[in-house]
């Protein structure tokens, strides 16, 4: 045995490497993309969501979507984007952030699944490792999740 991996023939070694990448990606994502946001940084999660919710609330109240309450950053998105956030306007800030977190996790899962399906004809484990490397190890994605970026 050398290092952490036992000596195995080429195909078995590749399988072990692909499985390790997929498992490490899952662990990395569960820590940074789920645990850290929910239990360590939920108070700062969803900054962009708060701005978009305020714009949606303004829209529902007949006020310009670009007039933000004091303390909020400017709303810089195109007016049609506001429509997507209308369902969140009726919830409290904490509930809206939790719902947005769930929506974002669903979008990440859909992206992972799409990447996986695109390559699964080459090998399911290879495709899972590639999707894990592309999605679960993506620090820009983790950053977008943390701030609640609406372009996710």
């Amino acid at each position: 045995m050398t290092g952490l991996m036992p000596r195995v023939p080429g195909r078995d070694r590749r399988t072990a490497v692909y499985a390790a990448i997929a498992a490490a990606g899952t662990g990395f994502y569960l820590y940074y993309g789920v645990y850290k946001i929910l239990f360590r940084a939920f108070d700062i999660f969803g900054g962009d969501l708060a701005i978009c919710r305020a714009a949606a609330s303004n829209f529902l109240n007949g006020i310009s979507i670009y007039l933000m309450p004091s303390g909020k950053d400017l709303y810089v998105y195109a007016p049609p984007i506001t429509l997507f956030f209308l369902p969140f306007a009726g919830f409290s800030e904490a509930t809206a952030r939790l719902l947005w977190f769930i929506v974002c996790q669903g979008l990440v899962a859909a992206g992972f699944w799409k990447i996986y399906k695109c390559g699964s004809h080459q090998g399911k484990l290879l495709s899972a490792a590639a999707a894990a490397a592309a999605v679960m190890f993506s620090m820009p994605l983790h950053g977008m999740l943390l701030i609640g970026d609406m372009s996710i």
Side-chain angles (χ1 to χ4, degrees), residues 46-47 49-55 67-75 93:
L49 171 66
I51 296 164
C52 294
R53 267 187 75 246
L67 293 175
M68 289 290 113
S70 68
K72 296 247 189 247
D73 290 335
L74 295 175
Y75 181 74
E93 185 78 27

Side-chain angles (χ1 to χ4, degrees), residues 78-147:
I81 299 298
T82 307
L83 300 175
F84 183 75
F85 292 92
L86 289 176
F88 298 98
F91 294 101
S92 70
E93 185 78 27
T95 302
R97 284 192 298 166
L98 184 59
L99 291 172
W100 183 243
F101 176 80
I102 292 167
V103 167
C104 289
Q105 295 302 319
L107 291 171
V108 170
F112 177 89
W113 183 251
K114 183 67 175 171
I115 293 170
Y116 168 78
K117 289 303 285 179
C118 285
S120 63
H121 66 281
Q122 295 290 326
K124 292 182 183 197
L125 195 53
L126 171 61
S127 186
V135 175
M136 295 180 178
F137 286 116
S138 172
M139 288 312 290
L141 174 66
H142 295 296
M144 287 173 56
L145 284 171
L146 179 62
I147 64 168

Side-chain angles (χ1 to χ4, degrees), residues 51-68:
I51 296 164
C52 294
R53 267 187 75 246
S57 181
N58 285 353
F59 177 80
L60 290 174
N61 292 319
I63 302 170
S64 170
I65 60 174
Y66 295 102
L67 293 175
M68 289 290 113

